[in-house]
Amino acid sequence: MEPIVKLDGVGKLYGRKRVLRDITLTVWPGDFMVVLGMPTSGKSVLVRLLTGLETPDSGRIFIRGQDVTTLPSGKRNLGYVPQSFALYPHFSVFENIAYPLTLVKAPREKIIAEVRRTAELLKIEQFLDRRPDQLSGGQKQRVAIARGLVKNTEIFILDDPLVGLDFKLRERLIEDLKTTQEELKVTFIYTTSEAVEAMQLASKLAVLHAGEIVETGSPEELYHRPKREETMRCVGFPQANLISAELIGRNGQLELRSPLFDSRMRLSSHMRGDHLTVPAHVSIGFRPEHVMINAPTTEQAVSFEAKVLLREDLGGEEIVYLDAKGIQLTTVLRSDEKGALSINIDEHVIASIRPEDIAVYLNRCYIGRACISHDC
């Protein structure tokens, strides 16, 4: 089996500014590939290159094994859902959805069948006779998505299609998109800046940062074993805790120094590597759910005092923001942690974390896990 979409060293310049650099990405048939990145990371430019609306300045794009780098948009046979609704106000919902098929002069019978099939998938068949100004924002977005999906193709490009929608509507549309992709057995390439949305949708995830894809993998891999600091920062909600630390050499071992932890913290021995130059400035990262509050003291965890700044109750869990020696940290507590949830704002608590939950990054690249000295 060969990739259905492949980008090989793709770059894009706007004037002297390089907005995409050496993008290499492989998408297999049936993937729900989500490209996750902040609003200025280059996601929309990547979409424009894939759809043929722009041409890269370097590298090549392959679709279905064919080099389409300079092929016009209309000859790539892709479904495309843009960010904006871009619905024609004087067209009915039926006519808006059917528009891509009418452009290629599809038979009337086929247009009717495909529009009704797509409308049923997105649960908007009852609105086919209405005009866009008679629809809610969520209904308009479903129509825009349906128009992108009505095309008879196995590859669909969706450029952050749920941006600007409220939380409940996003949740419903996420389920619709997952169901639609599975039922159609097609390939989706989907961009978003929302970490939760990316985790819910993706079968494969690519992290785009400052015009570069820094890491790809399954959502689970990138959440639990991120190899880049940018991945640790972008993937997951709430965001991971990332703080500065220093790596020093002592008695033949690499030791971590941070305002939070004492000298027992070291770098795991299997990643030590004699090639590292010390002292070195590093970042250490750990997930909010790995920070425990007022937990029983154990030799396998390191503890520090913190002040409770804010609590956000989400029902089944609670996000708690802490100040530990001037460093702001985030933790997530489950509703069944009764002792922890009895804390109050401005209260001083003992926070703790297991060393194996702390990832160490040098020059934004993963180099190992922390450990207690006698376990290294």
Side-chain angles (χ1 to χ4, degrees):
M1 182 173 65
E2 69 176 14
I4 194 165
V5 176
K6 184 176 181 180
L7 290 87
D8 185 10
V10 170
K12 183 64 179 176
L13 285 165
Y14 285 159
R16 294 184 178 180
K17 182 179 180 182
R18 184 169 294 278
V19 292
L20 290 179
R21 181 190 304 274
D22 194 25
I23 298 293
T24 298
L25 183 67
T26 301
V27 183
W28 298 94
D31 277 352
F32 200 130
M33 170 64 78
V34 175
V35 178
L36 173 65
M38 295 299 102
T40 58
S41 60
K43 300 188 304 298
S44 291
V45 178
L46 180 61
V47 165
R48 292 178 68 82
L49 296 180
L50 281 169
T51 55
L53 297 174
E54 295 193 30
T55 303
D57 296 302
S58 59
R60 295 187 298 170
I61 300 172
F62 298 88
I63 296 177
R64 305 178 188 90
Q66 177 188 2
D67 188 340
V68 300
T69 307
T70 58
L71 197 68
S73 177
K75 295 185 177 181
R76 297 193 182 192
N77 191 25
L78 302 173
Y80 174 45
V81 180
Q83 276 188 17
S84 61
F85 302 155
L87 301 179
Y88 296 103
H90 56 290
F91 281 4
S92 67
V93 168
F94 181 98
E95 291 167 328
N96 268 284
I97 297 174
Y99 188 69
L101 299 179
T102 59
L103 282 178
V104 296
K105 298 181 171 59
R108 180 65 180 171
E109 297 77 13
K110 180 181 179 180
I111 292 176
I112 293 172
E114 290 299 319
V115 169
R116 292 197 179 279
R117 176 187 61 83
T118 310
E120 287 173 6
L121 277 174
L122 290 166
K123 304 176 181 63
I124 52 173
E125 63 272 24
Q126 68 271 35
F127 305 129
L128 290 176
D129 293 329
R130 297 189 187 181
R131 295 194 184 277
D133 61 3
Q134 297 173 301
L135 304 178
S136 67
Q139 290 162 354
K140 290 178 183 176
Q141 190 70 312
R142 287 174 190 264
V143 174
I145 293 171
R147 184 178 57 192
L149 298 182
V150 75
K151 196 168 183 179
N152 184 22
T153 181
E154 74 279 34
I155 307 171
F156 295 91
I157 314 294
L158 299 91
D159 185 14
D160 212 351
L162 307 186
V163 66
L165 300 181
D166 65 68
F167 177 77
K168 288 185 178 180
L169 183 55
R170 290 174 79 103
E171 287 292 301
R172 289 200 298 270
L173 285 174
I174 282 170
E175 285 303 314
D176 288 344
L177 286 170
K178 288 174 65 176
T179 301
T180 299
Q181 192 259 350
E182 290 168 1
E183 288 185 4
L184 294 177
K185 295 181 174 58
V186 293
T187 302
F188 275 14
I189 301 175
Y190 183 106
T191 71
T192 182
S193 58
E194 295 292 332
V196 174
E197 188 177 310
M199 294 290 286
Q200 288 176 306
L201 287 170
S203 64
K204 298 287 179 60
L205 187 57
V207 176
L208 184 65
H209 174 77
E212 297 183 62
I213 290 182
V214 297
E215 193 169 356
T216 59
S218 71
E220 294 78 14
E221 286 176 314
L222 299 196
Y223 185 83
H224 294 290
R225 296 178 295 280
K227 299 301 183 185
R228 291 291 299 263
E229 182 180 324
E230 296 92 343
T231 305
M232 170 69 88
R233 189 185 308 276
C234 289
V235 177
F237 176 83
Q239 280 191 350
N241 298 291
L242 280 160
I243 62 175
S244 297
E246 188 178 30
L247 201 59
I248 64 171
R250 176 177 291 183
N251 300 325
Q253 290 185 307
L254 293 171
E255 185 175 290
L256 285 166
R257 283 188 175 175
S258 164
L260 292 182
F261 310 120
D262 61 27
S263 61
R264 293 184 302 155
M265 297 292 290
R266 300 183 189 275
L267 188 69
S268 55
S269 58
H270 69 284
M271 293 294 294
R272 203 182 314 175
D274 296 330
H275 63 286
L276 293 176
T277 301
V278 291
H281 294 290
V282 297
S283 296
I284 56 177
F286 45 94
R287 297 291 180 188
E289 63 268 26
H290 292 151
V291 181
M292 300 169 283
I293 293 181
N294 292 339
T297 303
T298 68
E299 290 188 2
Q300 287 73 40
V302 289
S303 302
F304 47 91
E305 187 177 278
K307 179 182 178 182
V308 178
L309 298 177
L310 183 66
R311 297 171 54 177
E312 292 181 357
D313 188 356
L314 302 181
E317 61 185 19
E318 187 163 341
I319 302 175
V320 180
Y321 300 91
L322 305 172
D323 181 292
K325 302 179 182 179
I327 299 170
Q328 291 200 6
L329 302 175
T330 306
T331 180
V332 175
L333 305 175
R334 297 189 308 272
S335 59
D336 57 357
E337 297 177 272
K338 299 299 182 184
L341 293 182
S342 64
I343 60 176
N344 299 308
I345 293 177
D346 292 333
E347 182 178 341
H348 287 266
V349 298
I350 299 299
S352 57
I353 184 171
R354 296 177 302 176
E356 61 266 31
D357 292 326
I358 299 173
V360 184
Y361 297 92
L362 175 65
N363 297 326
R364 300 193 299 276
C365 295
Y366 174 81
I367 59 170
R369 294 272 167 180
C371 62
I372 301 295
S373 59
H374 58 72
D375 294 329
C376 293

